[in-house]
Structures are given as C-alpha cells and as structure tokens.
Amino acid sequence: FGSSFSSAYSNTRSILHCCLTVAMPALVVLVGLLLHLGGACPAGYGKPVKGSPCMICPEGTWSAKGTELCKRCAAGTWSDERGRSSKESCIHCPAGTWSSQVGAISPEACQKCPAGYWSNRTGIGAIDKCTRCPAGTWSS
C-alpha cells in the first residue's frame, strides 16, 4: 500500500506541476485582461468602447496614463506612430501651413497657406489663422 500511494502521489504532483507551469502564464494574462477591462489603461493605450480591453492607441491619437480613451491629435498637428502618450507627442504642422483635420496621421494633412497669406507659427488649426501679406509683399 505504501509504495503505490507514494507512486500515485508522485504522479499527481508531477501532473499538477506540469499543468500549473503551462496554465500559469495564461492565468496571469487573463487576470491582467480582467483588470484592464474594469480600470484605466496605461499611457499610449485606450479602450475603443467602454468596458472593452485596453488596446494600443492608433496613429493620429494619444492617451496619458490613467485614461480610458485615446484622444485624437488636435487640428494643426499629426502623428504617424501608434502608442503615443501625450498631446505634445503630436507633431505640429510647420510654419506657413495649416490643417483643420483632427486625428491626422501624416504631414500631408498640413496645407500651405493660400497665395497672398503667410504664417510664422506652427500648429495652425484653421485657414483663417494664416495672415494676409502686408501691402507691397507677396507669398506664393
């Protein structure tokens, strides 16, 4: 009786160790997922829909630590990288350009001020922020 009990105990212990070794990483992932379903996401991540898991913020968006939603880059800015963690990480349109597009993902969203107008400011979010050239000057 003693040796068969010892053998059965040893086999059970081996099976249990094997199962825990394989299942533990999946359990850790599951617990992490459940925590993120109910709470805030880390910086650069957000929830597409309230109650959904955290996902990396797509291009043209950003999210600070502790927030739930990715926010779009403001007009006059753009970002072609995922997982941005601050509004400052959105890149300003260069001087002499503007963009009204919110959540832009490339510098092509930045348009030149129209002929006869200019700007020395970066990150302009509306065409009316371009300034008319002074009399006797021009801009193409």
Side-chain angles (χ1 to χ4, degrees), residues 1-120:
F1 176 73
S3 69
S4 65
F5 176 76
S6 176
S7 176
Y9 173 76
S10 178
N11 286 342
T12 303
R13 190 170 161 223
S14 294
I15 291 170
L16 184 60
H17 174 71
C18 173
C19 291
L20 283 177
T21 302
V22 171
M24 191 57 73
L27 183 60
V28 168
V29 169
L30 180 61
V31 168
L33 177 62
L34 290 174
L35 287 174
H36 282 297
L37 281 174
C41 300
Y45 287 76
K47 298 177 183 184
V49 178
K50 190 171 177 88
S52 66
C54 295
M55 299 178 73
I56 192 164
C57 292
E59 296 86 349
T61 66
W62 63 275
S63 173
K65 182 179 179 183
T67 59
E68 287 193 27
L69 300 174
C70 297
K71 296 174 176 80
R72 295 187 293 172
C73 290
T77 66
W78 60 276
S79 174
D80 61 353
E81 293 186 23
R82 298 169 47 182
R84 294 301 205 158
S85 60
S86 71
K87 67 180 176 182
E88 291 78 22
S89 64
C90 297
I91 301 164
H92 284 219
C93 289
T97 67
W98 66 278
S99 175
S100 61
Q101 186 177 343
V102 177
I105 62 171
S106 76
E108 283 77 33
C110 305
Q111 302 174 43
K112 286 181 113 179
C113 288
Y117 289 79
W118 69 286
S119 176
N120 61 356

Side-chain angles (χ1 to χ4, degrees), residues 122-135:
T122 63
I124 292 178
I127 193 170
D128 65 353
K129 301 298 180 191
C130 294
T131 307
R132 182 181 296 276
C133 294

